[in-house]
Amino acid sequence: MPAAEQTVRTLDDLRSWSQPGTALAVVGDPVAHSLSPRIHNAALAEIAREDPQYRSWRYHAFNIAPADLATAVALFHAKGFAGMNFTVPHKETVLALVEEADALTRSVGAANTLIRTPTGWRATNTDCGGLADALQAELKISLTRSHVVLLGAGGAARAAAVQCLRDQAASLWIGNRTAARAAALAGALAPFAGPVPVRTFELAHPDHLPAKSIIINATTLGLRPSDRSPLNLEAIPTPAAVFDMIYNPPVTALLRQAAALRRPAANGLGMLVHQGARALSHWLGRPVPVGVMTAAARAAYAIERL
């Protein structure tokens, strides 16, 4: 991939933007670690082989500080960008800067994707569907009618929880280090829960959790090699599968324990790919080559770890 496509750009670059073609972007602070440019540009190159109108489309990375977010969002529209992805720390705050947001995004309270409209931006959240797609692609399981044990009570956990409710899981158990945060998330989900029972527990006391549950880690425990597992899997009778949203490192303490127990397991690289595929499909209005995006993610990740 040309080195220019991996350049991290700034607000000053955006102010002077005059590149030809149609631009997309991932926006974060920091953003240099993002695999998204390689994943999306690989897909755009494949699509352009069969449809020449996409030959001028490129996906860029912009490091934008929180204090500059409002200025940048307006400039992205003024400069003609077709869409953006947002990552930490902008997913929640960008919602106040858009003209409209779909019901899913409002229920999550965060947006990771903006779609251009003639007068502004429309927000959506592809993290939710990306999780469901990754579970199906990587582990051949569905949230529908499954018991789900969700670890964490932050923004990533809320997106996962909303998808569990949308897909009508059999039950949702939210575990957190502090009971109060788990209870707060359960309370926020109450208007959307419908028939799905939502219960909470402390991670240190995983008692009476349902057998054959899907375990989803939405905590940050596992990002460092020294991190312990957020949950002792032996406390759950025969977990059906384990999914860790973390993909760097590729094997966390939680995934090592799942392997020791011989339970199906996957890390979060597939979720990164599938949420990206959903975003790209929104922008292009057509199906996108998920297989190409998956191969690009795996190749890029291997390069980053050399």
Side-chain angles (χ1 to χ4, degrees):
M1 178 175 294
E5 292 186 352
Q6 297 183 43
T7 300
V8 176
R9 304 177 190 277
T10 66
L11 183 61
D12 286 340
D13 293 320
L14 181 58
R15 286 192 173 108
S16 61
W17 192 263
S18 61
Q19 292 196 18
T22 302
L24 303 164
V26 58
V27 182
D29 182 27
V31 78
H33 65 284
S34 177
L35 303 183
S36 293
R38 291 170 180 162
I39 295 170
H40 284 273
N41 283 317
L44 288 168
E46 179 66 22
I47 292 168
R49 291 188 182 96
E50 62 182 60
D51 193 339
Q53 70 172 307
Y54 295 109
R55 287 178 181 169
S56 65
W57 286 61
R58 296 292 184 275
Y59 187 102
H60 308 272
F62 279 82
N63 199 119
I64 303 293
D68 296 324
L69 185 62
T71 298
V73 168
L75 275 173
F76 278 120
H77 196 274
K79 296 294 184 177
F81 279 65
M84 287 100 73
N85 285 138
F86 286 82
T87 186
V88 175
H90 300 318
K91 290 185 181 184
E92 291 81 15
T93 52
V94 76
L95 266 182
L97 305 174
V98 301
E99 280 194 335
E100 57 181 300
D102 58 27
L104 170 62
T105 304
R106 294 293 183 193
S107 64
V108 175
N112 76 322
T113 301
L114 297 193
I115 303 158
R116 184 183 182 84
T117 72
T119 55
W121 297 107
R122 175 166 55 89
T124 191
N125 190 307
T126 65
D127 285 332
C128 299
L131 169 63
D133 292 344
L135 288 171
Q136 183 60 51
E138 303 288 330
L139 297 170
K140 302 298 186 289
I141 57 175
S142 170
L143 295 170
T144 303
R145 294 188 294 278
S146 294
H147 296 288
V148 179
V149 175
L150 177 62
L151 314 181
R158 178 159 176 159
V162 168
Q163 190 63 34
C164 289
L165 301 179
R166 282 166 55 86
D167 285 354
Q168 296 192 352
S171 68
L172 174 62
W173 296 71
I174 301 172
N176 196 62
R177 185 174 57 85
T178 58
R181 286 204 69 190
L185 177 55
L189 294 169
F192 320 110
V196 180
V198 179
R199 301 180 175 90
T200 65
F201 68 98
E202 292 184 38
L203 290 176
H205 303 287
D207 303 319
H208 310 298
L209 296 177
K212 299 183 179 179
S213 299
I214 300 172
I215 315 301
I216 299 175
N217 180 35
T219 77
T220 58
L221 277 174
L223 286 173
R224 296 172 298 184
S226 59
D227 282 347
R228 59 179 174 79
S229 174
L231 180 72
N232 179 8
L233 293 179
E234 292 181 346
I236 301 176
T238 320
V242 178
F243 185 85
D244 198 328
M245 288 188 182
I246 294 169
Y247 63 86
N248 187 8
V251 182
T252 61
L254 179 68
L255 294 179
R256 282 195 294 273
Q257 189 179 28
L261 295 173
R262 298 184 179 180
R263 305 317 302 164
N267 67 23
L269 193 63
M271 182 176 172
L272 175 70
V273 169
H274 285 280
Q275 65 80 20
R278 283 176 172 254
L280 190 58
S281 183
H282 277 301
W283 297 324
L284 272 58
R286 55 159 289 162
V288 298
V290 178
V292 169
M293 298 178 79
T294 299
R298 290 173 178 165
Y301 181 62
I303 292 170
E304 290 297 322
R305 290 190 55 81
L306 288 178

